[in-house]
Amino acid sequence: MSLFPADLMHDILSRLPVKTLLRFKCVSKPWGSLIDDSDFAKHHLHHSLKSNTNVKLFLDNCVEVDDKAYSVDFDLFDNLVQIPRPFTAETDKYCSRIFGSCNGLLAVYHREAGIALWNPTTRKCHYLPSLDDDLTLDHDTPILGFGYDATKNDYKVVKMLRSKTQNCFKVMVYSLKANSWRRIMDCPFDFPTNIPTNYNDGAYLNNSLHWVGNKRGVFYGGNVIFALDLGIEEYYEVPKGDTNFGEEECGGCSAYFDFAYLNAGVLGGCLCVSLGCSACPVEDHINFWVMEEYGVKESWIKLLYLSEDRWQTSLSHTRAVAYSRNGDKILLDGGCCQPAWFNLMDGTEETLFIPGAPQLFSTMIYVESLVPVN
């Protein structure tokens, strides 16, 4: 007989790290059954998200051939852990990359081997079935996204394929619950041709995936923010803020056509976009804007201004990853360079150094969870 009531034991265990819980599965059959239970996994995830605990920074080696990925505690940036990747890296071959993070699961893309859903904490991996050859042979590099459909309790992968023979973006949605792909309505928007597709992965928020794109027929720059609702599987446009915002930092930009959206992300639970100025007579730069209240146009605020001279990397590849714990800094990722902290108070930058990590890496936030991949 247990010394504690079942509900109390449930609550205590839900506060522990996943790795500890995996060890505790061997304590007794009741504990093993509880920890394997899907409802307990949801409760544990809910507690982690609510308390902002079990947060990890995923490090992806983007230069060297490496069969491993790395993770580190987001609080102290220590305790570096090596994790075997779902797809093996080979010299002179295409390496895999992470294109989405949701509830402790990472979505991994490999141009030749396909897509996998991966829980790096439990080390479990699920390889998605491939698409028909008719689709795969008639498209360029896909636009990707990954998220959770709360209305159906289902994880979904979105793959947008620009047809080589038709003027359209064919859209396929994978359902983990059904373990199958199906085609939905073609995407009514286009994507900026000047931005690599791997820097325009879908940003998951509010049961939807978000991208920056163009109205159909516009072939350069991003002039809209749009989303795909994973529940009803319909597209909608997100209201934009005022793009004519005066540029007090450089003094050289004011016209609408100077600006283009470069990517969409999630920062501190809010939609975040980078807005670049491609025709500034003073200096190349981007602004990061955050939508403090989702769907409300007036809630957009400018967060920071970043010039290429100071950042020393491609601005179009730069993403905002996360706030620091006290909220005074933002971790910026430049794609294939060393991430850096941007201080919101004084505008200074500090390179993120993690002992034992690859020299150059990209980053992504995830939370350790027991969420299964099948």
Short mmCIF file of all heavy atoms in Angstrom, two decimals, residues 335-358:
data_model
loop_
_atom_site.label_atom_id
_atom_site.label_comp_id
_atom_site.label_asym_id
_atom_site.label_seq_id
_atom_site.Cartn_x
_atom_site.Cartn_y
_atom_site.Cartn_z
N GLY A 335 21.48 31.84 -37.81
CA GLY A 335 21.49 30.76 -38.79
C GLY A 335 22.67 29.84 -38.58
O GLY A 335 22.58 28.85 -37.86
N CYS A 336 23.80 30.14 -39.17
CA CYS A 336 25.00 29.31 -39.03
C CYS A 336 26.14 30.13 -38.45
O CYS A 336 27.22 30.22 -39.04
CB CYS A 336 25.39 28.70 -40.37
SG CYS A 336 24.45 27.22 -40.78
N CYS A 337 25.90 30.74 -37.33
CA CYS A 337 26.95 31.47 -36.63
C CYS A 337 26.70 31.32 -35.14
O CYS A 337 25.75 30.65 -34.73
CB CYS A 337 26.97 32.95 -37.03
SG CYS A 337 25.51 33.85 -36.51
N GLN A 338 27.55 31.90 -34.33
CA GLN A 338 27.39 31.79 -32.89
C GLN A 338 26.22 32.67 -32.45
O GLN A 338 26.20 33.88 -32.71
CB GLN A 338 28.67 32.27 -32.18
CG GLN A 338 28.82 31.73 -30.77
CD GLN A 338 29.65 30.47 -30.73
OE1 GLN A 338 30.23 30.08 -31.73
NE2 GLN A 338 29.71 29.82 -29.59
N PRO A 339 25.20 32.10 -31.79
CA PRO A 339 24.10 32.92 -31.27
C PRO A 339 24.63 33.95 -30.27
O PRO A 339 25.70 33.79 -29.69
CB PRO A 339 23.18 31.90 -30.59
CG PRO A 339 23.52 30.59 -31.24
CD PRO A 339 24.98 30.67 -31.55
N ALA A 340 23.85 35.00 -30.06
CA ALA A 340 24.30 36.07 -29.17
C ALA A 340 23.12 36.66 -28.41
O ALA A 340 21.97 36.63 -28.88
CB ALA A 340 25.01 37.17 -29.97
N TRP A 341 23.42 37.19 -27.23
CA TRP A 341 22.44 37.91 -26.43
C TRP A 341 22.41 39.37 -26.88
O TRP A 341 23.45 40.00 -27.04
CB TRP A 341 22.79 37.86 -24.95
CG TRP A 341 22.58 36.53 -24.30
CD1 TRP A 341 23.54 35.65 -23.90
CD2 TRP A 341 21.33 35.94 -23.96
NE1 TRP A 341 22.97 34.53 -23.34
CE2 TRP A 341 21.61 34.68 -23.36
CE3 TRP A 341 20.00 36.32 -24.10
CZ2 TRP A 341 20.62 33.83 -22.91
CZ3 TRP A 341 19.00 35.47 -23.65
CH2 TRP A 341 19.31 34.25 -23.06
N PHE A 342 21.21 39.90 -27.05
CA PHE A 342 21.03 41.33 -27.32
C PHE A 342 20.43 41.96 -26.07
O PHE A 342 19.35 41.55 -25.63
CB PHE A 342 20.12 41.55 -28.53
CG PHE A 342 19.92 42.99 -28.89
CD1 PHE A 342 20.73 43.60 -29.84
CD2 PHE A 342 18.92 43.75 -28.29
CE1 PHE A 342 20.54 44.92 -30.18
CE2 PHE A 342 18.74 45.08 -28.62
CZ PHE A 342 19.55 45.67 -29.57
N ASN A 343 21.12 42.93 -25.51
CA ASN A 343 20.66 43.59 -24.29
C ASN A 343 19.65 44.68 -24.65
O ASN A 343 19.99 45.63 -25.36
CB ASN A 343 21.84 44.19 -23.54
CG ASN A 343 21.48 44.62 -22.13
OD1 ASN A 343 20.53 45.38 -21.94
ND2 ASN A 343 22.25 44.15 -21.15
N LEU A 344 18.41 44.53 -24.17
CA LEU A 344 17.36 45.48 -24.50
C LEU A 344 17.56 46.83 -23.82
O LEU A 344 16.98 47.84 -24.25
CB LEU A 344 15.99 44.90 -24.12
CG LEU A 344 15.53 43.69 -24.92
CD1 LEU A 344 14.28 43.09 -24.30
CD2 LEU A 344 15.27 44.06 -26.37
N MET A 345 18.36 46.85 -22.76
CA MET A 345 18.55 48.10 -22.01
C MET A 345 19.56 49.03 -22.68
O MET A 345 19.31 50.22 -22.82
CB MET A 345 19.00 47.77 -20.58
CG MET A 345 18.06 46.82 -19.84
SD MET A 345 16.39 47.47 -19.67
CE MET A 345 16.69 48.82 -18.54
N ASP A 346 20.70 48.48 -23.09
CA ASP A 346 21.75 49.34 -23.65
C ASP A 346 22.14 49.02 -25.08
O ASP A 346 23.02 49.66 -25.65
CB ASP A 346 23.00 49.30 -22.75
CG ASP A 346 23.55 47.88 -22.58
OD1 ASP A 346 23.23 47.00 -23.41
OD2 ASP A 346 24.30 47.65 -21.62
N GLY A 347 21.48 48.00 -25.69
CA GLY A 347 21.74 47.68 -27.09
C GLY A 347 23.03 46.94 -27.36
O GLY A 347 23.43 46.77 -28.52
N THR A 348 23.71 46.46 -26.32
CA THR A 348 24.96 45.74 -26.51
C THR A 348 24.67 44.27 -26.83
O THR A 348 23.58 43.76 -26.58
CB THR A 348 25.84 45.83 -25.25
OG1 THR A 348 25.12 45.28 -24.13
CG2 THR A 348 26.24 47.26 -24.98
N GLU A 349 25.68 43.61 -27.39
CA GLU A 349 25.56 42.20 -27.77
C GLU A 349 26.67 41.39 -27.13
O GLU A 349 27.80 41.87 -26.96
CB GLU A 349 25.60 42.06 -29.29
CG GLU A 349 24.46 42.77 -29.99
CD GLU A 349 24.78 43.08 -31.44
OE1 GLU A 349 25.66 42.41 -32.01
OE2 GLU A 349 24.16 44.01 -31.99
N GLU A 350 26.35 40.15 -26.79
CA GLU A 350 27.32 39.27 -26.14
C GLU A 350 27.16 37.86 -26.71
O GLU A 350 26.08 37.28 -26.65
CB GLU A 350 27.10 39.24 -24.63
CG GLU A 350 28.04 38.33 -23.87
CD GLU A 350 27.70 38.23 -22.40
OE1 GLU A 350 26.76 38.93 -21.94
OE2 GLU A 350 28.36 37.44 -21.70
N THR A 351 28.22 37.34 -27.29
CA THR A 351 28.18 36.01 -27.89
C THR A 351 27.90 34.95 -26.84
O THR A 351 28.44 34.99 -25.73
CB THR A 351 29.52 35.70 -28.58
OG1 THR A 351 29.76 36.67 -29.60
CG2 THR A 351 29.51 34.31 -29.21
N LEU A 352 27.01 34.01 -27.19
CA LEU A 352 26.70 32.91 -26.29
C LEU A 352 27.79 31.85 -26.40
O LEU A 352 28.00 31.29 -27.47
CB LEU A 352 25.34 32.31 -26.64
CG LEU A 352 24.92 31.06 -25.86
CD1 LEU A 352 24.73 31.39 -24.38
CD2 LEU A 352 23.63 30.47 -26.45
N PHE A 353 28.46 31.58 -25.30
CA PHE A 353 29.51 30.56 -25.29
C PHE A 353 29.09 29.43 -24.36
O PHE A 353 28.76 29.64 -23.19
CB PHE A 353 30.84 31.14 -24.80
CG PHE A 353 31.92 30.11 -24.66
CD1 PHE A 353 32.53 29.56 -25.78
CD2 PHE A 353 32.31 29.66 -23.40
CE1 PHE A 353 33.52 28.59 -25.65
CE2 PHE A 353 33.30 28.70 -23.27
CZ PHE A 353 33.91 28.16 -24.40
N ILE A 354 29.08 28.21 -24.90
CA ILE A 354 28.71 27.02 -24.13
C ILE A 354 29.87 26.04 -24.21
O ILE A 354 30.19 25.54 -25.30
CB ILE A 354 27.43 26.37 -24.67
CG1 ILE A 354 26.26 27.37 -24.58
CG2 ILE A 354 27.09 25.10 -23.91
CD1 ILE A 354 24.99 26.87 -25.22
N PRO A 355 30.54 25.75 -23.09
CA PRO A 355 31.68 24.83 -23.11
C PRO A 355 31.31 23.47 -23.69
O PRO A 355 30.29 22.88 -23.32
CB PRO A 355 32.06 24.71 -21.63
CG PRO A 355 31.54 25.96 -21.00
CD PRO A 355 30.28 26.30 -21.74
N GLY A 356 32.12 22.99 -24.64
CA GLY A 356 31.89 21.68 -25.24
C GLY A 356 30.97 21.67 -26.44
O GLY A 356 30.83 20.64 -27.11
N ALA A 357 30.32 22.80 -26.72
CA ALA A 357 29.38 22.87 -27.84
C ALA A 357 30.13 23.03 -29.16
O ALA A 357 31.28 23.44 -29.18
CB ALA A 357 28.42 24.03 -27.64
N PRO A 358 29.51 22.70 -30.30
CA PRO A 358 30.14 22.95 -31.59
C PRO A 358 30.49 24.42 -31.75
O PRO A 358 29.91 25.29 -31.10
CB PRO A 358 29.06 22.52 -32.60
CG PRO A 358 28.17 21.61 -31.84
CD PRO A 358 28.18 22.08 -30.43
#
